[in-house]
């Protein structure tokens, strides 16, 4: 198990010897500690990345692509070990953790293929005086701040395209799940990533760490995944140095079920959209709009499916929902449920935290939730499904769009034309039509409105980590 920071290919303790406790959310016990980085360590990591970036960018695209492909193979070769680390420090069921490793590794395969397809253009100026050549060099050193809900995949979704484009990176992993991040970085080196191209510095002092990393003259970009609240703070700090940014922020996904939907398929999709990775995803369905004709049957069937979920330690056979990340999460989920019930919702199943040890909450369905209840405004990040019945399509679309978020939405209907027309009216960067999962390394992941800036994955993802340079040339 790696428990030191990685700077310039060396495993080091922090300059002030600080250690950060890593907690098992299934028991509340300490698993181990890892080295905590100071602002000086963040600066040293950017120094290392700056020195490594030039030679890495100068390597032939095919050479970088082969290294990325080797990262894909190496991560898959260590899938069991990595999945075990994820379940240990995040808590998600082992099957989900294995799924996360396949997803995480796939970003390397996809981006190895994109690395040799970073295209520019050439055209003739309208006046006929010169050529307009457009090319896409790497942006430079990228500082990455990653979340705890996908301890491996939210790192690889950024690192793979950044490296493919020819950048070097400094990662601040979350203090909740640093062990996976450190081991992934270790394996990337084993797969052939040169020293200094990937640096990982956990910290217990995120603000000072971030200031030091972004004040460094070599840093050119920040890529962040996390809450909209934190994203706003980081954006303000990036403004001081006019850094390029990519932000994957919070969601508040509507899940729309029309009367004509196949009930079983809608419930199955709802369970995926809500409960994937223990309901701790920013793509999670947060508000279930069910048309009046299907709302009672949908609520009943969803409640039955939620009541069937086995909650427990992610290592236990049959468990499909692990613990929440910490006690604060349990408090926040409980507060939203209690407020919704206080405002008139009824509990169809669940509705309470499960006594410790560990941080568990019952899979919950709330019926007849008012579209104005606080739970429809906040990202729940837990196993709670509020069902809001509707009769008027236009009013439902207005309610679904009445949020500052715009990450994901889901629509279930037997009428594909209605499904696509509804999808086009929803202000969301990603929409699942008769599907409860949208994430795919080959598709552009990202949000509209305050859910983010930029896209990860697809062919767009690699260009996020590039500059655009235009050359006016005459010959
Ligand atoms: C997230 O929750 O931040 C990402 C979810 C995903 O990639 O599916």
């Amino acid at each position: 198990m790696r428990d030191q920071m990685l700077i310039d290919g060396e495993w080091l303790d922090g300059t002030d010897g600080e250690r950060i406790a890593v907690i098992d959310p299934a028991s509340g016990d300490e698993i181990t500690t890892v080295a905590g980085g100071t602002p000086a360590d963040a600066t040293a990591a950017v120094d290392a990345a700056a020195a490594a970036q030039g030679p890495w960018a100068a390597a032939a695209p095919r050479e970088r692509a082969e290294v990325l492909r080797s990262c894909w193979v190496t991560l898959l070769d260590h899938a069991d070990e990595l999945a075990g680390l994820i379940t240990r420090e995040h808590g998600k069921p082992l099957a989900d953790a294995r799924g996360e490793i396949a997803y995480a590794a796939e970003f390397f395969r996809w981006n190895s293929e994109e690395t040799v397809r970073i295209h520019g253009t050439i055209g003739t100026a309208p006046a006929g005086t010169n050529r307009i050549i457009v090319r896409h060099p790497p942006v430079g050193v990228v500082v990455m701040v990653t979340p705890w809900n996908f301890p491996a995949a939210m790192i690889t979704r950024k690192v793979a395209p950044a490296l493919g484009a020819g950048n070097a990176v400094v990662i601040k992993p979350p203090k909740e799940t640093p062990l996976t991040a450190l081991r992934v970085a270790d394996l990337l080196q084993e797969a052939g990533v040169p020293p200094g191209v990937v640096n990982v510095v956990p910290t217990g002092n995120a603000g000072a760490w971030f200031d030091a990393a972004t004040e460094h003259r070599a840093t050119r970009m920040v890529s962040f995944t996390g809450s909209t609240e934190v994203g706003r703070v980081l954006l303000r700090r990036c403004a001081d140095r006019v850094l390029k940014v990519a932000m994957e922020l919070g969601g508040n996904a509507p899940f729309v079920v029309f009367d004509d939907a196949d009930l079983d398929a809608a419930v199955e999709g709802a369970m995926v959209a809500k409960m994937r990775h223990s309901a701790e995803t920013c793509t999670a369905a947060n508000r279930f709009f069910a048309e009046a004709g299907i709302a009672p049957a949908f609520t009943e069937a969803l409640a039955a499916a939620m009541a069937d979920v086995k909650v427990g330690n992610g290592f236990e056979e049959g468990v499909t929902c692990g613990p929440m990340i910490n006690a604060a999460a349990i408090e926040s989920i409980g507060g939203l449920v209690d407020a919704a019930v206080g405002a008139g919702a009824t509990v169809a199943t669940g509705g309470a935290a499960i006594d410790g040890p560990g941080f568990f909450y019952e899979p919950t369905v709330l019926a007849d939730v008012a579209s104005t209840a606080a739970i429809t405004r906040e990202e729940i990040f837990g196993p709670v499904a509020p069902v809001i019945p509707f009769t008027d399509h236009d009013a439902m679309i207005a309610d679904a769009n009445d949020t500052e978020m715009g990450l994901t939405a889901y629509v279930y209907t037997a009428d594909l034309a209605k499904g696509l027309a509804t999808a086009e009216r929803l202000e969301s960067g990603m929409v699942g039509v008769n599907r409860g999962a949208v994430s795919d390394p080959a598709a552009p992941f990202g949000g509209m409105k305050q859910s983010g800036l930029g896209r990860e994955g697809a062919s767009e993802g690699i260009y996020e980590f590039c500059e655009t340079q235009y050359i006016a040339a005459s010959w």
Side-chain angles (χ1 to χ4, degrees), residues 7 87 189 261 273 284 330 338 365 401 426 433-434 438 440 454 460:
I7 300 178
T87 297
Q189 295 214 128
I330 296 292
D338 293 348
V365 175
N401 286 336
L426 290 167
V433 176
N434 295 329
V438 294
D440 187 329
E460 286 92 332

Side-chain angles (χ1 to χ4, degrees), residues 103 147 149-150 154 157 225 276 280-283 381 439 445:
Y103 182 43
N149 62 340
F150 285 80
M154 294 305 101
R157 186 156 77 188
T225 295
R276 198 175 148 254
E280 294 175 309
T281 68
C282 56
T283 51
F381 239 69
S439 307
F445 188 104

Side-chain angles (χ1 to χ4, degrees), residues 79-463:
D80 284 346
E81 178 205 342
L82 289 168
L85 271 183
I86 290 178
T87 297
R88 192 98 172 87
E89 62 180 350
H90 172 278
K92 70 179 69 176
L94 208 43
D96 284 348
R98 286 202 182 97
E100 179 180 341
I101 292 305
Y103 182 43
E106 188 59 26
F107 285 105
F108 279 102
R109 177 162 66 165
W110 172 263
N111 282 289
S112 77
E113 291 156 354
E114 292 304 293
T115 294
V116 290
R117 295 191 178 89
I118 300 175
H119 299 303
T121 57
I122 180 165
T124 302
T129 48
N130 59 283
R131 299 288 194 276
I132 295 173
I133 302 169
V134 179
R135 59 185 290 271
H136 297 287
V139 67
V141 174
V142 186
V143 168
M144 302 181 163
V145 179
T146 62
W148 49 260
N149 62 340
F150 285 80
M154 294 305 101
I155 289 179
T156 60
R157 186 156 77 188
K158 298 178 187 305
V159 170
L163 265 53
N167 303 288
V169 307
V170 175
I171 303 164
K172 187 195 85 58
K175 63 181 185 330
E176 293 83 356
T177 59
L179 298 172
T180 309
L182 294 168
R183 184 64 179 133
V184 165
D186 196 13
L187 291 168
L188 299 189
Q189 295 214 128
E190 197 177 308
V193 172
V197 170
V198 173
N199 305 276
V200 185
V201 181
T203 185
N205 187 356
W209 185 107
F210 187 79
D211 285 347
T214 53
E215 276 159 17
H216 196 300
R217 282 176 62 83
T219 297
R220 291 303 318 139
M221 177 174 175
V222 167
S223 177
F224 170 68
T225 295
S227 71
T228 296
E229 198 185 349
V230 174
R232 286 190 195 106
V233 173
L234 301 191
L235 273 170
R236 278 186 211 110
R237 295 193 190 174
C238 290
D240 288 339
R241 286 208 50 243
V242 196
L243 295 177
K244 189 168 164 46
V245 289
M247 298 263 148
E248 296 299 344
L249 306 178
N252 182 5
F255 186 105
V256 179
V257 190
F258 286 110
D259 279 348
D260 62 2
D262 175 323
L263 180 63
D264 292 343
V267 171
E268 197 182 314
M271 289 301 290
V272 174
K274 179 75 250 179
M275 296 301 288
R276 198 175 148 254
H277 298 270
S278 301
E280 294 175 309
T281 68
C282 56
T283 51
N286 213 53
R287 300 167 291 157
F288 292 80
F289 292 96
E291 197 167 7
I294 201 170
F298 176 75
T299 308
E300 191 184 333
L302 183 61
M306 288 287 262
D308 244 16
V309 169
K310 186 169 174 198
V311 179
N313 187 312
F315 285 109
E316 265 174 44
E317 195 63 33
V319 164
T320 52
C321 181
M324 300 294 100
I325 193 69
N326 53 30
I330 296 292
E331 205 172 303
S332 153
I333 296 163
L336 289 170
V337 169
D338 293 348
V341 172
T346 53
V347 177
T349 189
I354 299 170
D355 285 343
F359 314 118
F360 296 95
Y361 200 91
E362 293 174 343
T364 296
V365 175
L366 300 176
D368 298 319
V369 176
S371 65
T372 50
I375 201 163
T376 70
R377 309 266 148 207
E378 311 269 333
E379 190 171 24
I380 304 168
F381 239 69
V384 179
V387 183
I388 307 159
F390 73 91
T391 47
D392 182 303
H393 290 195
D394 291 338
M396 176 276 292
I397 297 277
D399 279 342
N401 286 336
D402 185 19
T403 162
E404 59 193 20
M405 304 305 169
L407 189 63
T408 325
Y410 305 89
V411 182
Y412 270 77
T413 172
D415 178 348
L416 187 57
K418 179 161 69 178
L420 293 176
T422 304
E424 288 184 356
R425 294 177 69 192
L426 290 167
E427 295 165 353
S428 295
M430 300 175 283
V431 186
V433 176
N434 295 329
R435 277 194 61 77
V438 294
S439 307
D440 187 329
F445 188 104
M448 293 182 182
K449 303 199 284 191
Q450 295 191 37
S451 282
L453 296 168
R455 292 294 180 271
E456 291 184 329
S459 45
E460 286 92 332
I462 205 158
Y463 290 100

